[in-house]
Amino acid sequence: MAAAGAARELTQNPLQKTWEPYDNGLPAGHSAQRGVCMTNCPTLIVMVGLPARGKTYISKKLTRYLNWIGVPTKEFNVGQYRRDLVKKYKSFEFFLPDNEEGLKIRKQCALAALNDVRQYLSEENGHVAVFDATNTTRERRETIYKFGEENGYKTFFVESVCVDPEVIAANIVQVKLGSPDYVDCSNDEATEDFMKRIECYKNSYETLDETLDKDLSYIKIMDVGRSYLVNRVMDHIQSRIVYYLMNIHVTPRSIYLCRHGESELNLKGRIGGDPGLSVRGKEFAKSLAQFINEQNIKDLKVWTSQMKRTIQTAEALGVPYEQWKVLNEIDAGVCEEMTYEEIQENYPLEFALRDQDKYRYRYPKGESYEDLVQRLEPVIMELERQENVLVICHQAVMRCLLAYFLDKPAEQLPYLKCPLHTVLKLTPVAYGCKVESIFLNVEAVNTHRDKPENVGVNRSREEALRTVPTHL
Amino acid sequence: MAAAGAARELTQNPLQKTWEPYDNGLPAGHSAQRGVCMTNCPTLIVMVGLPARGKTYISKKLTRYLNWIGVPTKEFNVGQYRRDLVKKYKSFEFFLPDNEEGLKIRKQCALAALNDVRQYLSEENGHVAVFDATNTTRERRETIYKFGEENGYKTFFVESVCVDPEVIAANIVQVKLGSPDYVDCSNDEATEDFMKRIECYKNSYETLDETLDKDLSYIKIMDVGRSYLVNRVMDHIQSRIVYYLMNIHVTPRSIYLCRHGESELNLKGRIGGDPGLSVRGKEFAKSLAQFINEQNIKDLKVWTSQMKRTIQTAEALGVPYEQWKVLNEIDAGVCEEMTYEEIQENYPLEFALRDQDKYRYRYPKGESYEDLVQRLEPVIMELERQENVLVICHQAVMRCLLAYFLDKPAEQLPYLKCPLHTVLKLTPVAYGCKVESIFLNVEAVNTHRDKPENVEISRPTEDALVTVPAHQ
């Protein structure tokens, strides 16, 4: 990348519209694009904590968040390796500290998982690996730390400490009773066995210590987020991870996502712009108000974009709402207010490129889905902090938010179905999110355009327009 | 704000282009605009720590940051109240724990400061007050907490704990030797007296305790940021404050800000667009490369926007650089690539509105300076994390960044002088920032348009254009 002497020529990438240097007509080692965090060396996140302290919950959530913001992340659950190796779980006795056979198998699983970590980070271009196991002894953590050093990874520990018996009991109900380990047990049997399992770890548990572990990088989460101890944050990605972990909570709540009511431009099959609601759109707004009332939601916050159509929709609710500019619809640049037919007419190459990679495609003088995700990150962070929220937004924006909650990868994100006049109610449950789709019974145009079969730049007009939904 | 029944009509604010509901032709209690953190009740930040632990440094920096992101904040330094009351500082003996007269005066000052806090938060629309004093006893902190409760403020404590004698000595040199208290002393005399002053506090110092203070909201910063203890973060603004405090550091470094080299559109007096460098602009890029080399900067990071002109400028440096989309120039919407003459011709009303409130003015289908600050916040956060950085950006962007470092208010920000071909070197010193301006001796057009005298919408063309700089 360091080419002393004459400045290299720049060429504009036709898909993402980014400027890249080239040598002899070929893209040179191009300058880094700050997606989010340019992780120079991979990061190994190591979970620490007794069973039922939320380690897997945190691992999965953190992995989901990092992937959504564009940091390739994967979690490695050692318990899962154990389940794959020891087909049938018998009882807590497997975890007794003097069970030689058990110890041998558990160590084998940990090493197998670390091996897969190494493959992911060093051979498969992973940026972050989350090593999800109890890791409750200083000795085990040393082994992992050395592994990280040998491979050139930065290691960051995440410990969850909790002594509240109610929290632990709730965790057991939420995620342990349904575990494959207890598929043939009654709830009482499972709970009893699991409590004994926890006991197996307690005697040898060495919590991260301010003095003994002062040279490690870590965050200790206490009592489900009441307080945190943060030590030696080394870089940008660790700083982002800490910020995220400090903002999430486990209080039950629901997030409602919907689009504005049908707009005048929707009716005409035109994209973008800042139109008002159509007659049916206003009907929807009233139906939404009724729906929200019936749901009887405690302390509901309502958010809109700064575009007229979402604000008009919120107005019908008769409650206070907050306008966020970052919730505005994707900027279609030169294609704003065009129909797909007009885009095909005027920009056939652009139209084809968009179908080739809809996530990364940036409209000329506009944005891409990838840009949208960057701009929506503060919304996600605030949604994590909040409890009951209704977000009235737009098609592309809603797809991005939905992809975060449902852990959909970049390839699928731009094709998620978010029809008009339909509310999605998301409720966190166990390790994921329950989705309820509620159509509010006011007809609207379909604005969903599927990926056509032919995405070649030489395709015919007909092939390009085949999947365009009908409009006026 | 809660008007049940028919949805209110919307009108678009001509300055900010935001949609607001109105009743009978008048703006109604408009929906909240999410600037950043909608602080419902004011926040009282209370500093805690022995002298020379960085309390005032943190107070001032935090205040500057919060004001920049749009949260009205003010700091109240009790030491300053003491200096105003006791005209001449004699010696550390004023601070002896058994000095009745001293104690009386110090309590009086604390109460006077709290009274001003109350006025600022409850009568002057302040959102955050930073109460900067040692506050080292639990008793004093209780008094302040009660004061907060009585007035409906949320209280958040920020404690700085440091035992490293080198750090303390460095602090004394940086900010104490030059204090008004020691204006007639030699450095040795001042240091000796100050060390005794610190001793006066040590016996009664009660650090924030995990158990005794478990119900308070606070962050304890240890060893200048090596580790942090965070307890009971209550809301969005506290979360942002914690994130900011965890990202700042005191390692000496410099930040270099400059614009791209002169562009083809600059020459023609046109704004925005995505043009390449002019001949002189390319000359500047080479001069910049030479300048950077001569500065011999350790581990310099180079950042650009995603616009061609900044990238071309960086290319001449022959070092790796990172492209940030959020560093792109302000989007002038429908006015992109126009001259000021053309804007006056086509949008005289817009042109006048912009002159009336250049900070809040949003171009139609474009952005405002206020929007820019929101979008640049992650850049500021990362600049705080980094050490030596060169940011090659644009006029409006550079004004925003500069306003942050030099603590310039919103009214002045859009008129800060950021000429082409001039590097600003910012070096943190004491409580502020030293600025060195280096013109790299390659001529360029002037792109700075001062605020004209006549900003009325009915002004003649001549009045509107009188401050437009010369161009081709």
Side-chain angles (χ1 to χ4, degrees), chain A residues 15-16 67-70 330 353-362 367-374 400 403 408-415:
Chain A
L15 180 79
Q16 295 175 290
N67 277 312
W68 185 76
I69 60 172
I330 192 172
L353 286 174
R354 186 157 206 256
D355 283 336
Q356 289 178 15
D357 191 344
K358 196 176 177 192
Y359 184 73
R360 278 167 209 82
Y361 172 81
R362 187 184 282 170
E367 294 177 302
S368 63
Y369 273 93
E370 194 171 25
D371 294 329
L372 255 197
V373 162
Q374 286 309 308
C400 292
K408 298 296 186 186
E411 301 71 48
Q412 295 178 28
L413 186 160
Y415 295 101

Side-chain angles (χ1 to χ4, degrees), chain A residues 334-445:
Chain A
V334 300
C335 297
E336 278 285 317
E337 303 199 41
M338 288 190 174
T339 61
Y340 289 119
E341 290 84 352
E342 284 165 2
I343 299 174
Q344 167 61 24
E345 172 89 33
N346 293 290
Y347 301 99
L349 171 61
E350 293 293 330
F351 203 38
L353 286 174
R354 186 157 206 256
D355 283 336
Q356 289 178 15
D357 191 344
K358 196 176 177 192
Y359 184 73
R360 278 167 209 82
Y361 172 81
R362 187 184 282 170
Y363 281 104
K365 303 192 179 178
E367 294 177 302
S368 63
Y369 273 93
E370 194 171 25
D371 294 329
L372 255 197
V373 162
Q374 286 309 308
R375 110 157 125 81
L376 287 169
E377 199 265 349
V379 175
I380 289 298
M381 196 63 85
E382 190 57 19
L383 278 172
E384 286 296 346
R385 289 197 54 78
Q386 292 288 344
E387 292 184 19
N388 292 318
V389 187
L390 164 65
V391 185
I392 305 171
C393 55
H394 305 268
Q395 182 165 250
V397 168
M398 188 164 160
R399 285 170 169 156
C400 292
L401 299 179
L402 193 59
Y404 167 75
F405 288 108
L406 302 187
D407 204 15
K408 298 296 186 186
E411 301 71 48
Q412 295 178 28
L413 186 160
Y415 295 101
L416 293 176
K417 287 215 161 72
C418 295
L420 286 165
H421 299 186
T422 306
V423 179
L424 292 187
K425 179 179 178 181
L426 305 165
T427 311
V429 70
Y431 295 134
C433 224
K434 181 173 87 164
V435 197
E436 292 165 70
S437 172
I438 307 112
F439 172 61
L440 290 190
N441 223 8
V442 177
E443 291 304 313
V445 295

Side-chain angles (χ1 to χ4, degrees), chain A residues 142-162:
Chain A
E142 272 249 5
T143 306
I144 298 167
Y145 186 85
K146 284 206 177 74
F147 162 84
E149 271 198 316
E150 282 161 14
N151 287 284
Y153 310 150
K154 283 186 186 168
T155 302
F156 187 77
F157 294 92
V158 177
E159 180 174 17
S160 173
V161 173
C162 180

Side-chain angles (χ1 to χ4, degrees), chain A residues 117-161:
Chain A
V117 162
R118 197 193 39 73
Q119 182 164 326
Y120 178 66
L121 296 181
S122 300
E123 293 167 33
E124 291 172 14
N125 290 317
H127 282 204
V128 178
V130 184
F131 188 69
D132 179 18
T134 49
N135 298 315
T136 38
T137 63
R138 191 157 282 111
E139 187 208 352
R140 169 57 55 89
R141 296 194 291 268
E142 272 249 5
T143 306
I144 298 167
Y145 186 85
K146 284 206 177 74
F147 162 84
E149 271 198 316
E150 282 161 14
N151 287 284
Y153 310 150
K154 283 186 186 168
T155 302
F156 187 77
F157 294 92
V158 177
E159 180 174 17
S160 173
V161 173

Side-chain angles (χ1 to χ4, degrees), chain A residues 1-10 12 17-21 31-34 36 38 210 214 222 225-236 239-240 242-243 246-247 274 303 306-308 311-312 315-316 318-325 331 337 362 365-367 371 382 385-386, chain B residues 1-10 12 17-21 31-34 36 38 210 214 222 225-236 239-240 242-243 246-247 274 303 306-308 311-312 315-316 318-325 331 337 362 365-367 371 382 385-386:
Chain A
M1 239 188 288
R8 298 171 293 185
E9 291 298 314
L10 297 177
Q12 191 173 37
K17 312 303 187 289
T18 45
W19 291 97
E20 293 155 12
S31 57
Q33 242 106 75
R34 171 164 284 263
V36 52
M38 288 302 122
E210 272 186 81
K214 64 175 171 52
M222 292 166 281
R226 178 143 308 159
S227 60
Y228 307 87
L229 182 62
V230 179
N231 199 60
R232 292 193 188 260
V233 170
M234 297 304 292
D235 60 15
H236 179 95
S239 165
R240 295 288 288 275
V242 163
Y243 185 43
M246 288 176 58
N247 281 319
D274 193 16
W303 297 352
Q306 282 189 355
M307 295 180 144
K308 189 176 185 184
I311 299 167
Q312 269 184 300
E315 272 290 318
V319 298
Y321 53 89
E322 263 189 70
Q323 298 184 16
W324 292 65
K325 184 174 191 276
D331 183 354
E337 303 199 41
R362 187 184 282 170
K365 303 192 179 178
E367 294 177 302
D371 294 329
E382 190 57 19
R385 289 197 54 78
Q386 292 288 344
Chain B
M1 243 188 284
R8 298 170 294 186
E9 290 300 310
L10 297 176
Q12 192 174 38
K17 312 305 188 285
T18 44
W19 291 98
E20 295 157 1
S31 56
Q33 241 105 74
R34 170 161 286 260
V36 52
M38 289 302 119
E210 271 186 79
K214 63 176 171 53
M222 292 166 282
R226 179 145 305 160
S227 59
Y228 307 87
L229 182 61
V230 179
N231 198 61
R232 291 190 189 263
V233 170
M234 298 304 292
D235 60 15
H236 178 95
S239 165
R240 295 287 288 274
V242 164
Y243 184 42
M246 288 177 57
N247 281 319
D274 194 15
W303 298 350
Q306 282 189 353
M307 295 180 142
K308 188 178 186 184
I311 300 168
Q312 269 184 299
E315 272 291 318
V319 298
Y321 54 89
E322 263 189 70
Q323 297 184 18
W324 293 64
K325 183 172 191 278
D331 183 354
E337 302 197 43
R362 187 184 282 170
K365 301 191 182 181
E367 294 177 302
D371 294 329
E382 190 57 18
R385 288 197 54 78
Q386 292 288 343

Side-chain angles (χ1 to χ4, degrees), chain B residues 210-271:
Chain B
E210 271 186 79
T211 313
L212 295 172
D213 299 304
K214 63 176 171 53
D215 289 331
L216 297 179
S217 297
Y218 66 84
I219 178 170
K220 188 191 268 206
I221 305 168
M222 292 166 282
D223 295 324
V224 204
R226 179 145 305 160
S227 59
Y228 307 87
L229 182 61
V230 179
N231 198 61
R232 291 190 189 263
V233 170
M234 298 304 292
D235 60 15
H236 178 95
I237 188 70
Q238 289 182 16
S239 165
R240 295 287 288 274
I241 288 165
V242 164
Y243 184 42
Y244 181 72
L245 292 178
M246 288 177 57
N247 281 319
I248 62 181
H249 67 77
V250 294
T251 310
R253 50 78 173 256
S254 289
I255 293 166
Y256 298 78
L257 302 181
C258 72
R259 291 164 67 187
H260 52 83
E262 183 190 68
S263 77
E264 294 290 355
L265 288 189
N266 287 143
L267 278 176
K268 298 177 183 155
R270 294 185 173 282
I271 64 172

Side-chain angles (χ1 to χ4, degrees), chain B residues 332-373:
Chain B
V334 300
C335 297
E336 276 286 317
E337 302 197 43
M338 286 189 173
T339 61
Y340 290 118
E341 291 85 350
E342 285 166 1
I343 299 175
Q344 169 60 21
E345 169 92 34
N346 292 288
Y347 302 98
L349 170 63
E350 294 292 330
F351 203 38
L353 286 174
R354 184 156 209 254
D355 284 336
Q356 290 179 14
D357 191 344
K358 196 175 176 190
Y359 183 74
R360 278 166 208 83
Y361 171 81
R362 187 184 282 170
Y363 281 104
K365 301 191 182 181
E367 294 177 302
S368 63
Y369 272 92
E370 194 172 25
D371 294 329
L372 255 196
V373 162

Side-chain angles (χ1 to χ4, degrees), chain A residues 196-213:
Chain A
K196 290 188 185 141
R197 205 154 115 179
I198 298 176
E199 287 304 311
C200 294
Y201 287 87
K202 277 191 175 169
N203 281 347
S204 59
Y205 183 17
E206 295 168 296
T207 187
L208 286 169
D209 182 82
E210 272 186 81
T211 313
L212 295 173
D213 298 304

